[in-house]
Amino acid sequence: MSTKQQLLIYLKEVKGAWVSGEFLAHKMTVSRSAIWKHIGSLKDDGYVIESSRKKGYLLRQTSDLLLTDEIREGLKTNVFGKGEIIYFRETDSTNVRAKYLAGDGAPEGTVVVAEKQTQGRGRKGRSWFSPASEGIYTSIILRPPISPNEAPKLTLMASVAVAEALLSLTKLKINIKWPNDILINGRKVAGILTEISTDMDRIDYVVIGVGVNVNTPRQSLHPDIRQTATSILMETGKPFPRIALLRAYLEWLEIYYETFKTKGFDPVMNRWKNFADIIGRRISVDLMDRVRMGEVLDIDKDGFLILRDREGTIERIISGDVTLLS
Ligand code: BTN
């Protein structure tokens, strides 16, 4: 453990008490100027630390940045986030970074997190608006022992994990809009982009990217999405700890991934159906090349949407943009 990490642990332990530079230097067996330098670096990381010539240092507030050590603190998982967590203050896209890492052999459970994305990617070639430190932008690498045609299930699994994390921490009513938009009060709060690399007929890796609008104020939302998107801040009127939400997501994701591997997809799908109030509804679904309208009969065991149109024709749809009709 580095001196900086030790220093932070100690400042957290003494919770809100002043500690002299001399004492810290002695405790960590480094010079006082080294302590001063590490304190400066902790401040750069977003920790609010007061300094006084007479009294020393006092940790007022921990950082709200999604720092690796902060994410790990109290993370109740066995694999996800237990290996490497790669943190960026700014990057193009966490999915792009994760794909490079996976291509280089990074193991399952490797997590990439960014404060800001300059080229955040959404589904269907859209962009994902990713302002600095207002949302969660994260991607995880999985190497699931399933066949490529089962990969869509992983997106549904991730949407259940995001919904569970949001529900458990905010108690707001969370909806999933097929296949994987997370909504609060009919507006999108989170989205998922799954990318897969196959090798012959097996999956080499899957990258699941999740973006959540957490502390995004309305005026900060991109004008294009102001009518259709929301954030936790907008729904509750209060800033929300991003780290707690990210931890909860990783924990739920691991729970559902284990369930999927050991008990099959049905339990995950059943929970997904609880969050998605789409069955029996009339919808239109935009399939890029055409639009279909009809009643949703079911989401089948593979996560496909079963739609019956006016003429009674039944179609099985893998992915598309759904609009609920009254
Ligand atoms: C959607 O269109 O609903 C999917 C949005 C997915 C956004 C996340 S943010 C983290 C990860 N990195 C990306 O570039 N995209 C995903």
Side-chain angles (χ1 to χ4, degrees):
M1 193 185 292
S2 71
T3 309
K4 182 175 156 189
Q5 284 170 318
Q6 275 177 281
L7 179 60
L8 180 60
I9 288 174
Y10 190 70
L11 289 174
K12 282 184 176 176
E13 256 170 35
V14 297
K15 268 196 218 127
W18 287 93
V19 203
S20 75
E22 196 179 348
F23 177 85
L24 289 169
H26 181 72
K27 193 167 169 66
M28 322 252 130
T29 56
V30 294
S31 66
R32 282 175 63 177
S33 76
I35 294 289
W36 178 80
K37 257 204 240 149
H38 288 305
I39 293 280
S41 161
L42 286 170
K43 284 183 183 171
D44 290 343
D45 285 348
Y47 293 92
V48 183
I49 300 173
E50 280 181 38
S51 318
S52 141
R53 265 182 171 278
K54 280 198 189 141
K55 296 186 274 186
Y57 303 103
L58 174 137
L59 175 64
R60 271 268 172 246
Q61 211 178 301
T62 57
S63 176
D64 182 51
L65 298 184
L66 299 173
L67 302 167
T68 304
D69 289 342
E70 291 293 335
I71 298 170
R72 282 221 176 87
E73 206 174 289
L75 178 67
K76 295 193 272 308
T77 57
N78 292 319
V79 180
F80 294 0
K82 287 288 158 149
E84 272 214 90
I85 299 179
I86 292 110
Y87 170 81
F88 294 99
R89 279 286 174 102
E90 177 177 320
T91 191
D92 46 2
S93 151
T94 55
N95 264 34
V96 170
R97 295 300 114 208
K99 284 195 288 179
Y100 278 126
L101 289 159
D104 283 346
E108 175 158 278
T110 304
V111 173
V112 181
V113 187
E115 294 295 335
K116 175 180 176 182
Q117 296 183 121
T118 52
Q119 289 170 55
R121 293 148 47 122
R123 284 172 52 229
K124 302 194 171 162
R126 296 184 191 125
S127 58
W128 183 259
F129 178 61
S130 314
S133 302
E134 289 179 358
I136 294 175
Y137 320 114
T138 186
S139 303
I140 187 162
I141 296 170
L142 301 186
R143 297 190 184 273
I146 59 173
S147 73
N149 60 15
E150 285 194 284
K153 293 178 180 174
L154 296 169
T155 309
L156 295 172
M157 174 190 84
S159 60
V160 175
V162 174
E164 293 281 19
L166 284 166
L167 176 67
S168 61
L169 295 182
T170 68
K171 305 280 181 265
L172 292 168
K173 178 153 173 36
I174 311 296
N175 267 122
I176 303 179
K177 190 175 112 179
W178 182 85
N180 52 9
D181 287 351
I182 315 294
L183 310 185
I184 302 178
N185 288 322
R187 290 173 184 240
K188 182 160 168 174
V189 69
I192 295 153
L193 178 68
T194 306
E195 298 188 70
I196 164 173
S197 165
T198 54
D199 176 8
M200 305 289 275
D201 56 353
R202 54 173 276 277
I203 291 180
D204 179 16
Y205 65 78
V206 174
V207 166
I208 300 179
V210 167
V212 190
N213 302 328
V214 183
N215 292 322
T216 325
R218 171 172 286 284
Q219 66 274 19
S220 164
L221 283 177
H222 194 280
D224 292 353
I225 56 170
R226 220 167 267 168
Q227 297 311 315
T228 52
T230 191
S231 68
I232 304 179
L233 172 73
M234 281 163 62
E235 296 298 325
T236 61
K238 283 187 295 215
F240 194 84
R242 290 180 306 148
I243 291 194
L245 185 59
L246 176 55
R247 267 193 228 118
Y249 160 65
L250 292 173
E251 288 165 5
W252 280 109
L253 191 69
E254 191 171 283
I255 289 171
Y256 280 107
Y257 189 49
E258 277 309 307
T259 305
F260 179 23
K261 286 193 298 181
T262 56
K263 301 197 174 97
F265 193 57
D266 283 358
V268 185
M269 196 63 228
N270 290 340
R271 191 61 182 136
W272 187 94
K273 284 183 184 174
N274 289 155
F275 281 112
D277 108 59
I278 195 172
I279 293 164
R281 304 284 294 263
R282 283 194 54 75
I283 62 160
S284 85
V285 51
D286 186 343
L287 305 172
M288 303 282 264
D289 56 335
R290 65 207 161 97
V291 176
R292 306 285 291 137
M293 270 203 266
E295 185 195 346
V296 180
L297 294 186
D298 199 5
I299 306 294
D300 73 8
K301 60 177 183 19
D302 299 318
F304 286 54
L305 186 133
I306 310 296
L307 190 77
R308 181 174 57 199
D309 69 11
R310 269 172 192 269
E311 286 72 48
T313 310
I314 293 174
E315 193 170 347
R316 198 168 173 254
I317 300 170
I318 181 168
S319 160
D321 272 339
V322 168
T323 309
L324 292 176
L325 306 172
S326 59

